[in-house]
Amino acid sequence: MDTGFIIEKFILVAVIFGISLVIAMYSTYAERKVAAYLQDRLGPDRAGPFGILQPLADGIKMFMKEEIIPTTSNKWLFIVGPGLALLCACIGTAVIPWGSPMEIGGKIVPLQVADINVGVLYIFGVVSLGVYGVMIGGWASNNKYSLLSAIRAASQNISYEIAMGLSIIALLLMTNTLSLKTIVEQQHGWHWNVLYQPLGFLIFMVCSFAETNRAPFDLPECETELIGGYHTEYSSMKLGFYLFAEYINMFVSSAVMATLYFGGYNYPGMDYMATLLGPTWAPLFGTAILFAKIFFFIFFFMWVRWTIPRFRYDQLMNLGWKGLIPLAIANIIITGIVIAIIEKF
Amino acid sequence: MSTQVFYFVATLSIIFSLMVIFAKNPIHSVLYLILTFFTFTVHYVLLNAQFLAVVNFIVYMGAIMVLFLFVLMLLNLNKETEPVKSPLIKIVGVIAGCCLVVTLVGSFKAASINSPLILKNPGLGLVENLGKELFGPFLLPFELSSLLLLAAMVGAVLLSKRDEVEA
C-alpha cells in the first residue's frame, strides 16, 4: 500500500461524499419543484433565481433551530440514531463503479472506491443495516408514536428485503459474478440487464421504494396516524439528518438500479466516443451518462410519490409476502430453466 | 499489520460480548451483540472468508438482530417487571457455566498440542470456491440442512395458525 494509492482513494471518497451530499440537498429542492409542477403550483421561488438557494436557506434554518433532547429519552441512543441513519446511507456508494478506468497523467485510475468480489451482497448488507437508524431513534425517543413508527419501519424493511434478495438472485444467475464492476462491464453495448430481467427489475424497484421508506410505502411517516413518525421528537439538524438520509438513500438506490439493470456508465456509441474524446475525457462522459440515469430514477421516485396514494398497512404486507415474493421465486425458476436450456443446446 | 488488527478487533469482540452480559437494559444488550457480530465480520475478512463475512453481516446483523430488537421493543422490558429468578435456576446456571468452562479449557489444551491448521487453498472463502465445495463434496449435508430450515419454517407457521383456530 503506497501513499499514492491512499491519496487517490481518499480524493475519490471525498468527491463521492461531496457529490452525494449536494445531490441530496438539491433533491429536496427538486422534490418541491416536481410536486409543484404535478399539482400545478409554482413551488419555492423566493431564495435566489427560481428559488435555487432554497436548500441553503433550509440548511441554515435547520442549524439555527433550538435543539431539544427530551428528558425521558435515552440520550446516547437518541444522538446515535440519526448519525447511524446517515452513515448507513452514505457507505453504500463505496462499491458502485462511477465510470470506466480513467487516465490521469499516464496513470490509470479506477473510478470506484472498492471493487470487492461480493459487491452486490455488500449493497444488500448496507440496505439491511439502514433500518437500525430508524429503530434506535424511534425507541430512544421514548414516545409511543415514534416506537410504533420504528416498528412499522422494521417490519416493512424485513418483509421487502426478502423479495429484493430473491430478485437479485435471478440477476446473479445470469451474471455469474457478484462484483459490480464486472456486472457493468458485461452490459457493454446493448446488453442491459433490464432487457433480460424485466420482471426482476420491477420487483427490485418496488422493493427499493419500500426500503427507502418512500411513497407509496412511507408508512413509517404518517402525520394523521403517528403525529409525525420515528422523528416526532427530533428537532434541529438531527431531524435534518433523518430527512437527508432519506434523500441519500434515494440517490444510492437509484445508482444501484442504474448499475445493476441499466448498464451503469455504458451508453450506445461508447466505443466511438472513446476514440473521439481520448482516455481521460471519455470515462467522465460515461460518468455523466450514469448520473443522467440516476437523475431520471430520482425523478421517477418523486413522480410516483406525487401520483400514487399511500398503501394501507395490510395492503403493504399482502403485496410484499403474497405478491412480490412468489413472483420473485417464479422469476428465479424461469431464469434457471431458460439458462439450463440455452446451455444444453 | 494483520496480526495487530486481529488483536485489536479480538479485544473489541471480548469487550463487547462482556457488555452484552453486563448491560442492565435488554435493548443495550442487543445493541452490544450487534457490535460483537460486526467485529466477527471483521475477523472473517481477516481470514479472507469474504462470503462468510458478508453473509454474517446480512443474516446476523441485518436480519436476526433486527428481529431481536423488534421483539424486545414490543415487550418493553423494565427492571420492575422482570421476574425474580428462583435460586434453583441460579444453581443450574452456575453448573452449566462450569461445564462450559471445562469444555473450553479442554478444547484449548487439545488445540495447543496440534500444529496450527493451514488451509490447502487460501481462496476457499471466496464465493466461487465455497459454492463448488458446498454443491460438490458437501451436497448431502447442505441439502439436508436446507430441509431442516424448511421444516422449522413450516413449524413456525403452524404454531401461529393454531392460535387462530382456537380463538
Side-chain angles (χ1 to χ4, degrees):
Chain A
M1 267 207 256
D2 56 328
T3 346
F5 176 79
I6 292 172
I7 292 173
E8 178 192 308
K9 290 297 181 197
F10 185 78
I11 292 173
L12 195 62
V13 169
V15 167
I16 292 171
F17 184 63
I19 288 176
S20 347
L21 289 187
V22 170
I23 285 180
M25 237 170 92
Y26 273 91
S27 294
T28 62
Y29 170 74
E31 173 114 82
R32 292 161 78 172
K33 276 291 185 192
V34 169
Y37 175 72
L38 290 176
Q39 296 170 347
D40 201 14
R41 293 185 282 116
L42 277 179
D45 66 342
R46 296 289 110 179
F50 307 107
I52 203 92
L53 297 176
Q54 187 66 39
L56 282 179
D58 285 340
I60 292 169
K61 184 193 81 177
M62 285 284 186
F63 274 113
M64 293 299 169
K65 272 191 163 179
E66 188 190 356
E67 198 171 325
I68 300 165
I69 297 181
T71 43
T72 52
S73 69
N74 190 316
K75 284 200 184 50
W76 272 106
L77 292 180
F78 191 77
I79 297 169
V80 166
L84 203 61
L86 200 62
L87 177 78
C88 291
C90 286
I91 54 178
T93 53
V95 291
I96 292 167
W98 298 102
S100 44
M102 188 177 152
E103 199 182 303
I104 302 173
K107 200 166 171 250
I108 304 287
V109 178
L111 292 180
Q112 183 184 20
V113 178
D115 175 35
I116 51 177
N117 63 14
V118 285
V120 177
L121 292 179
Y122 171 84
I123 291 275
F124 196 64
V126 170
V127 165
S128 60
L129 218 57
V131 71
Y132 280 122
V134 173
M135 281 185 89
I136 290 173
W139 181 79
S141 303
N142 204 3
N143 172 327
K144 58 184 166 191
Y145 295 109
S146 300
L147 183 66
L148 274 176
S149 164
I151 285 169
R152 274 188 182 189
S155 49
Q156 174 180 324
N157 281 29
I158 293 169
S159 309
Y160 279 79
E161 253 164 40
I162 301 169
M164 192 182 220
L166 291 175
S167 71
I168 293 179
I169 287 176
L171 178 73
L172 295 181
L173 281 177
M174 290 178 46
T175 60
N176 282 325
T177 175
L178 290 166
S179 155
L180 284 173
K181 187 183 166 205
T182 322
I183 290 177
V184 172
E185 280 165 0
Q186 281 170 353
Q187 299 179 63
H188 186 74
W190 271 103
H191 299 291
W192 290 6
N193 283 329
V194 68
L195 302 175
Y196 304 100
Q197 282 288 334
L199 184 61
F201 169 69
L202 197 70
I203 296 167
F204 187 87
M205 194 175 64
V206 172
C207 292
S208 52
F209 272 77
E211 293 289 324
T212 47
N213 294 333
R214 289 284 300 188
F217 301 101
D218 58 344
L219 283 129
E221 287 170 59
C222 186
E223 290 84 0
T224 45
E225 295 163 21
L226 296 169
I227 302 179
Y230 50 88
H231 45 47
T232 302
E233 295 286 350
Y234 282 88
S235 61
S236 178
M237 204 53 206
K238 288 203 202 66
L239 174 67
F241 266 32
Y242 272 128
L243 303 182
F244 232 66
E246 181 183 320
Y247 284 98
I248 294 179
N249 273 329
M250 220 161 89
F251 167 61
V252 173
S253 46
S254 300
V256 171
M257 278 193 279
T259 306
L260 286 181
Y261 290 98
F262 279 81
Y265 52 76
N266 289 301
Y267 52 94
M270 195 177 173
D271 297 320
Y272 173 70
M273 286 301 271
T275 52
L276 200 68
L277 291 172
T280 308
W281 293 104
L284 275 186
F285 191 73
T287 308
I289 296 283
L290 173 62
F291 272 93
K293 290 172 185 172
I294 292 171
F295 290 149
F296 172 76
F297 280 117
I298 293 179
F299 169 71
F300 190 75
F301 269 97
M302 293 167 181
W303 189 8
V304 168
R305 173 168 178 186
W306 299 107
T307 308
I308 299 175
R310 179 184 283 145
F311 277 111
R312 226 170 42 224
Y313 203 75
D314 59 320
Q315 291 171 330
L316 171 98
M317 283 297 154
N318 275 338
L319 177 68
W321 289 96
K322 295 180 186 165
L324 292 180
I325 291 177
L327 257 184
I329 293 174
N331 191 29
I332 292 175
I333 294 171
I334 293 167
T335 312
I337 291 173
V338 170
I339 288 175
I341 290 172
I342 288 172
E343 278 181 3
K344 190 93 177 171
F345 299 106
Chain B
M1 173 73 183
S2 164
T3 328
Q4 287 156 352
V5 174
F6 168 75
Y7 278 114
F8 177 67
V9 179
T11 320
L12 281 184
S13 314
I14 292 169
I15 293 172
F16 286 140
S17 37
L18 285 177
M19 292 302 281
V20 175
I21 306 168
F22 290 126
K24 290 261 185 210
N25 191 323
I27 299 267
H28 290 180
S29 283
V30 170
L31 293 178
Y32 280 120
L33 195 55
I34 294 167
L35 285 176
T36 315
F37 281 134
F38 182 71
T39 58
F40 289 175
T41 304
V42 180
H43 284 307
Y44 284 130
V45 172
L46 288 177
L47 289 171
N48 202 22
Q50 300 186 359
F51 183 70
L52 261 187
V54 84
V55 164
N56 183 55
F57 194 84
I58 295 172
V59 175
Y60 282 92
M61 286 176 70
I64 294 181
M65 295 322 287
V66 171
L67 286 176
F68 266 57
L69 207 57
F70 186 80
V71 171
L72 278 179
M73 279 179 179
L74 281 177
L75 289 179
N76 200 15
L77 290 170
N78 291 322
K79 237 187 285 174
E80 299 94 58
T81 55
E82 204 175 351
V84 183
K85 292 181 183 75
S86 70
L88 189 70
I89 291 180
K90 283 179 183 166
I91 293 167
V92 170
V94 168
I95 293 172
C98 289
C99 290
L100 184 66
V101 169
V102 170
T103 320
L104 279 179
V105 169
S107 59
F108 277 134
K109 277 194 98 164
S112 64
I113 296 165
N114 291 332
S115 55
L117 188 73
I118 295 163
L119 278 179
K120 282 176 213 136
N121 177 8
L124 185 67
L126 305 184
V127 186
E128 201 181 340
N129 304 335
L130 196 70
K132 276 182 181 146
E133 282 295 311
L134 276 183
F135 285 95
F138 295 99
L139 182 63
L140 187 66
F142 182 73
E143 294 292 341
L144 280 181
S145 59
S146 74
L147 213 68
L148 210 64
L149 282 175
L150 185 70
M153 243 163 76
V154 173
V157 172
L158 269 182
L159 276 177
S160 59
K161 267 272 189 241
R162 204 176 57 186
D163 282 339
E164 203 175 287
V165 174
E166 278 173 8

